[in-house]
Amino acid sequence: MASATRNGDDPDGGVEFIREDDGSITARDLETGLARGGDSRAEALAQLAEILALEAGEGEPVTDDDIREMGFDPDAGDDEELPEFMR
């Protein structure tokens, strides 16, 4: 069974740490509900900080070279319409 501890005194903000059954730790931002996990509290918190930064619009845009490095052809299109969230 998972267990949780809170970090901070603010009832509406902060981070909740959840120890998962497999021994990993999940850090959940109480304001946004976003969560990330890791093998330790520090790793989970670092992962959470990264996802919160991306949510705030920080980071680098993905380039065609990045897409090629992932093994995809950025010029290959398909006939399917993009989902609404990608338009």
Side-chain angles (χ1 to χ4, degrees):
M1 174 175 241
S3 64
T5 59
R6 294 189 60 175
N7 186 25
D9 297 327
D10 184 359
D12 297 321
V15 175
E16 175 181 47
F17 292 94
I18 303 163
R19 180 169 301 278
E20 303 294 348
D21 293 337
D22 65 1
S24 65
I25 304 290
T26 297
R28 185 172 72 90
D29 179 67
L30 297 174
E31 183 178 337
T32 64
L34 294 172
R36 290 297 295 214
D39 291 332
S40 67
R41 286 172 68 121
E43 183 180 345
L45 195 56
Q47 293 289 330
L48 179 60
E50 181 179 334
I51 214 71
L52 288 170
L54 292 171
E55 176 73 10
E58 298 175 22
E60 300 290 323
V62 176
T63 66
D64 285 352
D65 288 338
D66 295 329
I67 294 170
R68 284 186 193 91
E69 284 182 26
M70 290 183 241
F72 299 100
D73 180 358
D75 299 319
D78 58 36
D79 295 333
E80 291 185 34
E81 188 174 319
L82 290 174
E84 186 174 323
F85 75 92
M86 294 181 73
R87 293 184 209 151

